[in-house]
Amino acid sequence: METPREEWGSKIGFILAAAGSAVGLGNIWRFPYMTGENGGAAFVLIYIFFVIFIGFTIMLAELTIGRHSQRNAVGAFEAIFPKTGWKFIGVLGIITGIGILSFYGVVAGWTLGYFFKTLLGDFSRLSGETSFQDVFAGFIGNPVSEIVYLAVFIGITIYIVSRGISKGIERWTKILMPLLFLIIILLVIRALTLGSGVSKGLSFYLKPDFRALKPEIFIRALGQALFSLSLGMGAMITYGSYISKKDNLLSSAAFVVLFDTVIALLAGLAIFPALFAMGMSPKGGPGLVFLVLPSVFDKMPAGTFFGAAFFLLLAIAALTSTISLLEVAVAYFIDEKNWSRVKAAVFTGALAFVVGVPSALSQGASKWFHKIPLVHIPFLDFMNALFGNYALTVGSFFISIFVGWKWGTGAAAKEIALGAGGFKLRAVWAFSVRFFAPFAIFLIFVYLILTGRFF
Ligand code: TRP
């Protein structure tokens, strides 16, 4: 209490850090493969709908809880209503953060591996018989490199988080995100000029076919929206706690939501035309972008350079996301248990690594983790659905109930108005937090339980 809370170095520092948390593998790896598996354009439309009407609502709710309480994800609820059960939303968030980090670290490790592979020219040397598919399967099926890359990635995350908020996080994001954005634009241009198949890809991605709509699409599109925006587990509560009272929460939230969504939509625009031009199936699952993009770079002038740069920047974008996943737990142990930053980062990071090992081995290295009992999917895919979809959705439901019905939209709106010089959309937002968001989530869950298609 006595020492003032660490704050972001500047307003732009906070926006960059929040955008850095949001933009990551969710946009470039998860969004395209989810879209491919769930019917294309119809999924995209529902996703955009949820981003606007639920994502933005929850984003503002989380940032507001954080800035008002100036505390971590658990302490925030405790500060607003002491000695109630609401703090368990935060506890769920900490568990979810470690759960997501465990499999996210594995995929982030793939991007690191692909950076080295592209740099060393592994893809330009491919002959007829060995395809991009074989390279990928061989890579993710190797137990040693899978575990080493996971360890390296989580190790870097621990290092940066242990050095603290503004020093560690802001520095990374400032220069590198615009560069990533630039390479994605180049990829889009190349993909759109690949010739035959491009129009088929575009219509898959942009022309909704509502006959392809299956019940589970709704939960997946919602889960994807929350995942991509880093919502539902207190990451934005934690980041919000470092924002100054002078900053504008409304415009910050709007910017992050917009930027994140544009990046995801552009990634899709690069992937689908290329995928169809190469005659591949959109249902490639978690390996999708690792199969499609290397061959696009292969067909690009200076492809080795752009390919290597892309995978490196993607790894860094993933890093600014894993930082936020770890920071939720770390902030909790610092605030509530008086741990040092280093101790908290090492302990929680190591935990995520251990939980991540079965995911790392699930993509071909171990039969057992490749098809786990009951659900019959790889462990990584299971964790991705459990934490990346369901836990975030449940968390968002309770956050909206907390702000809408317990704390009250009046009190929250006062906090939002600070630094924003008013809050014009207040009634719309209040309606969404109180009614629309929780009801929509509730209905989706009822639907899911009735149809029984969880995984
Ligand atoms: N949003 C990030 C991405 O799209 C992943 C992420 C970081 C995240 N922090 C989170 C997801 C908190 C959910 C909750 O890659």
Side-chain angles (χ1 to χ4, degrees):
M1 296 293 120
E2 292 75 23
T3 47
R5 193 171 182 77
E6 274 183 273
E7 271 186 11
W8 303 101
S10 58
K11 175 171 185 214
I12 187 77
F14 158 70
I15 292 183
L16 282 169
S21 164
V23 174
L25 298 171
N27 311 56
I28 288 158
W29 160 71
R30 202 178 192 263
F31 172 73
Y33 100 71
M34 285 278 178
T35 302
E37 268 185 348
N38 292 290
F43 176 88
V44 177
L45 265 189
I46 298 171
Y47 162 78
I48 294 176
F49 178 83
F50 284 146
V51 164
I52 297 172
F53 291 102
I54 297 184
F56 179 74
T57 303
I58 304 288
M59 175 73 78
L60 200 50
E62 282 201 31
L63 291 178
T64 307
I65 294 172
R67 190 176 70 174
H68 183 78
S69 64
Q70 307 266 300
R71 302 277 291 278
N72 64 88
V74 176
F77 294 99
E78 192 61 14
I80 298 175
F81 288 105
K83 305 211 163 32
T84 59
W86 290 100
K87 64 170 175 291
F88 286 106
I89 304 177
V91 175
L92 174 70
I94 288 174
I95 297 169
T96 306
I98 292 172
I100 294 179
L101 180 58
S102 74
F103 72 82
Y104 199 95
V106 173
V107 182
W110 296 353
T111 65
L112 219 48
Y114 263 50
F115 161 65
F116 290 117
K117 277 187 181 307
T118 317
L119 198 66
L120 298 174
D122 282 17
F123 297 111
S124 47
R125 274 196 297 277
L126 286 185
S127 59
E129 310 90 73
T130 44
S131 61
F132 293 99
Q133 187 105 39
D134 300 332
V135 174
F136 184 64
F139 176 62
I140 61 172
N142 179 337
V144 177
S145 66
E146 280 290 273
I147 291 179
V148 169
Y149 275 120
L150 172 66
V152 167
F153 207 89
I154 293 195
I156 302 174
T157 307
I158 292 173
Y159 173 72
I160 294 178
V161 170
S162 65
R163 297 191 51 194
I165 276 302
S166 47
K167 271 170 285 160
I169 302 174
E170 282 174 41
R171 198 185 297 162
W172 289 95
T173 335
K174 277 183 190 160
I175 323 153
L176 298 167
M177 275 214 294
L179 282 180
L180 179 64
F181 189 77
L182 220 85
I183 297 191
I184 295 176
I185 301 275
L186 290 179
L187 267 175
V188 171
I189 296 171
R190 176 68 267 219
L192 289 176
T193 51
L194 280 173
S196 78
V198 167
S199 59
K200 231 163 116 197
L202 284 178
S203 76
F204 175 82
Y205 184 50
L206 300 174
K207 224 168 105 202
D209 173 5
F210 287 104
R211 285 166 309 176
L213 267 191
K214 287 180 292 174
E216 59 268 33
I217 284 185
F218 290 93
I219 182 71
R220 293 194 185 149
L222 175 61
Q224 177 57 29
L226 298 172
F227 186 93
S228 193
L229 295 169
S230 302
L231 297 175
M233 52 148 281
M236 290 299 166
I237 294 180
T238 307
Y239 273 26
S241 76
Y242 306 114
I243 313 180
S244 132
K245 298 275 181 195
K246 290 184 292 254
D247 286 340
N248 186 336
L249 291 179
L250 263 177
S251 64
S252 303
F255 173 81
V256 173
V257 170
L258 187 72
F259 186 65
D260 183 76
T261 307
V262 167
I263 299 258
L265 294 177
L266 281 175
L269 202 56
I271 305 254
F272 289 105
L275 184 146
F276 279 84
M278 289 178 299
M280 295 165 62
S281 157
K283 293 195 188 332
L288 191 72
V289 295
F290 293 95
L291 299 175
V292 176
L293 291 184
S295 54
V296 180
F297 286 120
D298 199 38
K299 296 187 178 61
M300 207 160 147
T304 303
F305 171 77
F306 285 119
F310 173 83
F311 284 115
L312 183 64
L313 289 168
L314 183 54
I316 293 169
L319 187 60
T320 55
S321 301
T322 54
I323 288 168
S324 75
L325 287 163
L326 196 60
E327 178 65 24
V328 174
V330 168
Y332 165 76
F333 284 112
I334 295 175
D335 284 0
E336 309 296 321
K337 305 284 170 203
N338 271 322
W339 286 18
S340 74
R341 192 164 254 285
V342 174
K343 178 180 170 191
V346 170
F347 173 75
T348 50
L351 188 61
F353 168 74
V354 172
V355 179
V357 168
S359 286
L361 297 178
S362 73
Q363 302 295 304
S366 138
K367 267 208 197 94
W368 209 84
F369 292 121
H370 189 65
K371 230 183 191 143
I372 55 173
L374 297 176
V375 288
H376 309 297
I377 54 175
F379 193 79
L380 187 151
D381 304 46
F382 170 72
M383 295 293 276
N384 189 1
L386 183 66
F387 289 107
N389 274 355
Y390 296 122
L392 297 180
T393 310
V394 171
S396 299
F397 175 79
F398 285 111
I399 288 169
S400 67
I401 297 285
F402 175 80
V403 172
W405 298 93
K406 176 73 186 168
W407 188 27
T409 49
K414 256 196 219 134
E415 179 69 37
I416 295 171
L418 284 182
F423 184 14
K424 282 210 191 80
L425 280 176
R426 176 181 163 160
V428 180
W429 178 74
F431 175 80
S432 186
V433 194
R434 287 167 68 93
F435 301 102
F436 183 76
F439 264 108
I441 296 174
F442 180 74
L443 283 182
I444 288 172
F445 263 94
V446 170
Y447 198 29
L448 198 68
I449 288 165
L450 291 179
T451 54
R453 306 190 63 157
F454 282 89
F455 292 100

